[in-house]
Amino acid sequence: MVKIRNCVRFVAIFIRQFILTKIYGMDISRTARISFGAKLDKTNPKGIHIGDESYVASGAIILSHDFCKNIHANTYIGTRCFIGINTVVMCGVRIGDNCVIGAGAIVTKDVPSNCIIAGNPARIIRDGIETIKFGQLVNHE
């Protein structure tokens, strides 16, 4: 039963990835994973860029437009990043490689590589980190 569930899940992820990249035109790596509960901006879908082995958790919102300012801009998420549950990444933000964005963070400015950020507005709480696939932290203790 578990094998069937995993197979169905893999097919559903593949179909969603196909729709987001081929129909909407988003730039999402084949090795990235987007949770079914995540919301990617379809007003400016070609402005969404997600790197290799990154993970966007459920409830996360990735924006590529700002209606109030009439802006359409590219929003970038680097490689091996983790975007936490209910995070909001604002239009035009660049998140570097190997970053972890804490749950509920509101990312309003660019984020350098190799750091953990959290809060509203999001701020760096730790830097010099290293991550592996899907933004999992590597412990160097």
Side-chain angles (χ1 to χ4, degrees):
M1 192 63 160
V2 173
K3 286 184 180 183
I4 293 171
R5 179 182 168 271
N6 286 338
C7 184
V8 169
R9 182 176 173 274
F10 179 76
V11 169
I13 287 170
F14 177 79
I15 291 170
R16 182 161 192 240
Q17 187 97 351
F18 179 84
I19 291 168
L20 292 174
T21 57
K22 302 301 181 197
I23 295 174
Y24 285 106
M26 295 179 187
D27 176 25
I28 301 173
S29 169
R30 287 181 178 222
T31 58
R33 292 292 174 259
I34 312 298
S35 175
F36 289 107
K39 293 173 179 52
L40 304 180
D41 193 347
K42 293 179 184 81
T43 301
N44 179 25
K46 292 183 179 176
I48 303 286
H49 306 274
I50 301 175
D52 296 334
E53 298 181 337
S54 289
Y55 183 81
V56 179
S58 185
I61 301 171
I62 313 296
L63 298 172
S64 60
H65 89 287
D66 185 337
F67 182 78
C68 295
K69 296 178 185 175
N70 195 25
I71 297 172
H72 290 81
N74 292 324
T75 302
Y76 293 90
I77 297 173
T79 61
R80 293 186 175 173
C81 291
F82 176 80
I83 309 299
I85 192 166
N86 294 330
T87 294
V88 177
V89 179
M90 300 302 286
C91 168
V93 169
R94 287 181 174 268
I95 296 175
D97 299 333
N98 302 302
C99 288
V100 175
I101 313 299
I106 309 296
V107 184
T108 59
K109 295 181 182 174
D110 291 356
V111 177
S113 296
N114 304 91
C115 66
I116 299 173
I117 67 168
N120 179 8
R123 300 185 195 283
I124 297 173
I125 58 173
R126 186 171 161 198
D127 59 1
I129 67 162
E130 188 178 337
T131 61
I132 56 173
K133 191 173 184 178
F134 302 138
Q136 295 175 337
L137 285 172
V138 174
N139 292 326
H140 291 292
E141 295 177 22

mmCIF file of all heavy atoms in Angstrom, residues 25-47:
data_model
loop_
_atom_site.group_PDB
_atom_site.id
_atom_site.type_symbol
_atom_site.label_atom_id
_atom_site.label_comp_id
_atom_site.label_asym_id
_atom_site.label_seq_id
_atom_site.Cartn_x
_atom_site.Cartn_y
_atom_site.Cartn_z
ATOM 1 N N GLY A 25 4.924 28.438 -17.585
ATOM 2 C CA GLY A 25 6.222 28.967 -17.982
ATOM 3 C C GLY A 25 7.145 29.334 -16.837
ATOM 4 O O GLY A 25 8.077 30.114 -17.023
ATOM 5 N N MET A 26 6.913 28.790 -15.653
ATOM 6 C CA MET A 26 7.795 29.055 -14.519
ATOM 7 C C MET A 26 9.125 28.327 -14.710
ATOM 8 O O MET A 26 9.175 27.266 -15.331
ATOM 9 C CB MET A 26 7.138 28.598 -13.215
ATOM 10 C CG MET A 26 5.904 29.378 -12.868
ATOM 11 S SD MET A 26 5.171 28.776 -11.336
ATOM 12 C CE MET A 26 3.654 29.714 -11.322
ATOM 13 N N ASP A 27 10.178 28.904 -14.175
ATOM 14 C CA ASP A 27 11.516 28.315 -14.255
ATOM 15 C C ASP A 27 11.771 27.557 -12.953
ATOM 16 O O ASP A 27 12.323 28.107 -12.010
ATOM 17 C CB ASP A 27 12.548 29.419 -14.474
ATOM 18 C CG ASP A 27 13.975 28.899 -14.468
ATOM 19 O OD1 ASP A 27 14.179 27.716 -14.766
ATOM 20 O OD2 ASP A 27 14.880 29.697 -14.160
ATOM 21 N N ILE A 28 11.349 26.295 -12.919
ATOM 22 C CA ILE A 28 11.493 25.460 -11.721
ATOM 23 C C ILE A 28 12.328 24.246 -12.104
ATOM 24 O O ILE A 28 11.996 23.528 -13.046
ATOM 25 C CB ILE A 28 10.128 25.016 -11.178
ATOM 26 C CG1 ILE A 28 9.271 26.236 -10.832
ATOM 27 C CG2 ILE A 28 10.308 24.112 -9.959
ATOM 28 C CD1 ILE A 28 7.846 25.907 -10.447
ATOM 29 N N SER A 29 13.397 24.029 -11.363
ATOM 30 C CA SER A 29 14.267 22.887 -11.630
ATOM 31 C C SER A 29 13.499 21.570 -11.489
ATOM 32 O O SER A 29 12.593 21.454 -10.657
ATOM 33 C CB SER A 29 15.435 22.903 -10.651
ATOM 34 O OG SER A 29 16.153 21.691 -10.712
ATOM 35 N N ARG A 30 13.885 20.597 -12.277
ATOM 36 C CA ARG A 30 13.253 19.266 -12.174
ATOM 37 C C ARG A 30 13.499 18.620 -10.820
ATOM 38 O O ARG A 30 12.725 17.782 -10.379
ATOM 39 C CB ARG A 30 13.780 18.343 -13.264
ATOM 40 C CG ARG A 30 13.261 18.673 -14.628
ATOM 41 C CD ARG A 30 13.814 17.702 -15.643
ATOM 42 N NE ARG A 30 13.253 18.020 -16.941
ATOM 43 C CZ ARG A 30 12.829 17.106 -17.781
ATOM 44 N NH1 ARG A 30 12.922 15.838 -17.478
ATOM 45 N NH2 ARG A 30 12.330 17.459 -18.943
ATOM 46 N N THR A 31 14.604 18.983 -10.162
ATOM 47 C CA THR A 31 14.924 18.369 -8.871
ATOM 48 C C THR A 31 14.337 19.142 -7.690
ATOM 49 O O THR A 31 14.473 18.710 -6.555
ATOM 50 C CB THR A 31 16.453 18.259 -8.696
ATOM 51 O OG1 THR A 31 17.034 19.561 -8.797
ATOM 52 C CG2 THR A 31 17.055 17.335 -9.749
ATOM 53 N N ALA A 32 13.702 20.269 -7.941
ATOM 54 C CA ALA A 32 13.041 21.026 -6.868
ATOM 55 C C ALA A 32 11.700 20.386 -6.551
ATOM 56 O O ALA A 32 11.099 19.728 -7.403
ATOM 57 C CB ALA A 32 12.841 22.481 -7.293
ATOM 58 N N ARG A 33 11.219 20.579 -5.339
ATOM 59 C CA ARG A 33 9.913 20.060 -4.929
ATOM 60 C C ARG A 33 9.067 21.197 -4.390
ATOM 61 O O ARG A 33 9.517 21.988 -3.559
ATOM 62 C CB ARG A 33 10.049 18.977 -3.852
ATOM 63 C CG ARG A 33 10.690 17.704 -4.351
ATOM 64 C CD ARG A 33 9.764 16.985 -5.342
ATOM 65 N NE ARG A 33 10.407 15.839 -5.929
ATOM 66 C CZ ARG A 33 10.948 15.801 -7.143
ATOM 67 N NH1 ARG A 33 10.962 16.874 -7.890
ATOM 68 N NH2 ARG A 33 11.495 14.712 -7.607
ATOM 69 N N ILE A 34 7.831 21.255 -4.863
ATOM 70 C CA ILE A 34 6.876 22.272 -4.441
ATOM 71 C C ILE A 34 5.720 21.551 -3.769
ATOM 72 O O ILE A 34 5.064 20.711 -4.382
ATOM 73 C CB ILE A 34 6.334 23.072 -5.657
ATOM 74 C CG1 ILE A 34 7.471 23.546 -6.574
ATOM 75 C CG2 ILE A 34 5.466 24.224 -5.192
ATOM 76 C CD1 ILE A 34 8.450 24.482 -5.954
ATOM 77 N N SER A 35 5.450 21.866 -2.517
ATOM 78 C CA SER A 35 4.337 21.246 -1.803
ATOM 79 C C SER A 35 3.018 21.602 -2.486
ATOM 80 O O SER A 35 2.879 22.670 -3.085
ATOM 81 C CB SER A 35 4.317 21.740 -0.360
ATOM 82 O OG SER A 35 3.185 21.253 0.303
ATOM 83 N N PHE A 36 2.050 20.708 -2.376
ATOM 84 C CA PHE A 36 0.747 20.956 -3.002
ATOM 85 C C PHE A 36 0.046 22.162 -2.397
ATOM 86 O O PHE A 36 -0.761 22.805 -3.052
ATOM 87 C CB PHE A 36 -0.141 19.717 -2.912
ATOM 88 C CG PHE A 36 0.324 18.617 -3.814
ATOM 89 C CD1 PHE A 36 0.930 17.492 -3.296
ATOM 90 C CD2 PHE A 36 0.175 18.710 -5.184
ATOM 91 C CE1 PHE A 36 1.376 16.476 -4.127
ATOM 92 C CE2 PHE A 36 0.618 17.710 -6.031
ATOM 93 C CZ PHE A 36 1.226 16.585 -5.500
ATOM 94 N N GLY A 37 0.358 22.504 -1.152
ATOM 95 C CA GLY A 37 -0.271 23.655 -0.506
ATOM 96 C C GLY A 37 0.422 24.973 -0.767
ATOM 97 O O GLY A 37 -0.053 26.024 -0.350
ATOM 98 N N ALA A 38 1.560 24.948 -1.455
ATOM 99 C CA ALA A 38 2.291 26.183 -1.759
ATOM 100 C C ALA A 38 1.589 26.934 -2.878
ATOM 101 O O ALA A 38 0.983 26.338 -3.762
ATOM 102 C CB ALA A 38 3.725 25.853 -2.160
ATOM 103 N N LYS A 39 1.690 28.255 -2.825
ATOM 104 C CA LYS A 39 1.049 29.096 -3.830
ATOM 105 C C LYS A 39 2.110 29.890 -4.580
ATOM 106 O O LYS A 39 2.840 30.670 -3.979
ATOM 107 C CB LYS A 39 0.049 30.030 -3.175
ATOM 108 C CG LYS A 39 -1.132 29.279 -2.577
ATOM 109 C CD LYS A 39 -2.026 30.192 -1.780
ATOM 110 C CE LYS A 39 -3.213 29.483 -1.205
ATOM 111 N NZ LYS A 39 -2.932 28.284 -0.454
ATOM 112 N N LEU A 40 2.191 29.653 -5.887
ATOM 113 C CA LEU A 40 3.131 30.372 -6.732
ATOM 114 C C LEU A 40 2.349 31.364 -7.588
ATOM 115 O O LEU A 40 1.309 31.016 -8.145
ATOM 116 C CB LEU A 40 3.907 29.395 -7.613
ATOM 117 C CG LEU A 40 4.660 28.282 -6.860
ATOM 118 C CD1 LEU A 40 5.387 27.380 -7.832
ATOM 119 C CD2 LEU A 40 5.620 28.860 -5.854
ATOM 120 N N ASP A 41 2.852 32.582 -7.682
ATOM 121 C CA ASP A 41 2.163 33.680 -8.357
ATOM 122 C C ASP A 41 1.941 33.379 -9.837
ATOM 123 O O ASP A 41 2.889 33.232 -10.600
ATOM 124 C CB ASP A 41 2.994 34.948 -8.197
ATOM 125 C CG ASP A 41 2.251 36.205 -8.588
ATOM 126 O OD1 ASP A 41 1.181 36.094 -9.211
ATOM 127 O OD2 ASP A 41 2.748 37.295 -8.259
ATOM 128 N N LYS A 42 0.680 33.312 -10.234
ATOM 129 C CA LYS A 42 0.343 33.037 -11.628
ATOM 130 C C LYS A 42 0.022 34.317 -12.405
ATOM 131 O O LYS A 42 -0.269 34.260 -13.582
ATOM 132 C CB LYS A 42 -0.804 32.040 -11.694
ATOM 133 C CG LYS A 42 -0.378 30.680 -11.175
ATOM 134 C CD LYS A 42 -1.495 29.677 -11.212
ATOM 135 C CE LYS A 42 -1.071 28.371 -10.608
ATOM 136 N NZ LYS A 42 -1.135 28.350 -9.170
ATOM 137 N N THR A 43 0.092 35.479 -11.752
ATOM 138 C CA THR A 43 -0.086 36.749 -12.444
ATOM 139 C C THR A 43 1.121 37.029 -13.342
ATOM 140 O O THR A 43 0.976 37.533 -14.441
ATOM 141 C CB THR A 43 -0.277 37.898 -11.438
ATOM 142 O OG1 THR A 43 -1.420 37.604 -10.647
ATOM 143 C CG2 THR A 43 -0.484 39.222 -12.135
ATOM 144 N N ASN A 44 2.306 36.694 -12.835
ATOM 145 C CA ASN A 44 3.550 36.834 -13.598
ATOM 146 C C ASN A 44 4.332 35.528 -13.452
ATOM 147 O O ASN A 44 5.377 35.483 -12.818
ATOM 148 C CB ASN A 44 4.364 38.016 -13.076
ATOM 149 C CG ASN A 44 5.670 38.204 -13.809
ATOM 150 O OD1 ASN A 44 5.813 37.807 -14.961
ATOM 151 N ND2 ASN A 44 6.637 38.796 -13.134
ATOM 152 N N PRO A 45 3.831 34.436 -14.011
ATOM 153 C CA PRO A 45 4.434 33.128 -13.767
ATOM 154 C C PRO A 45 5.868 32.993 -14.269
ATOM 155 O O PRO A 45 6.659 32.273 -13.665
ATOM 156 C CB PRO A 45 3.507 32.155 -14.492
ATOM 157 C CG PRO A 45 2.793 32.968 -15.503
ATOM 158 C CD PRO A 45 2.692 34.345 -14.920
ATOM 159 N N LYS A 46 6.228 33.703 -15.322
ATOM 160 C CA LYS A 46 7.595 33.609 -15.850
ATOM 161 C C LYS A 46 8.600 34.305 -14.943
ATOM 162 O O LYS A 46 9.804 34.189 -15.149
ATOM 163 C CB LYS A 46 7.656 34.161 -17.272
ATOM 164 C CG LYS A 46 6.890 33.266 -18.227
ATOM 165 C CD LYS A 46 6.980 33.707 -19.640
ATOM 166 C CE LYS A 46 6.190 32.707 -20.484
ATOM 167 N NZ LYS A 46 6.107 33.046 -21.865
ATOM 168 N N GLY A 47 8.128 34.990 -13.912
ATOM 169 C CA GLY A 47 9.001 35.648 -12.946
ATOM 170 C C GLY A 47 9.388 34.767 -11.778
ATOM 171 O O GLY A 47 10.121 35.193 -10.892
#
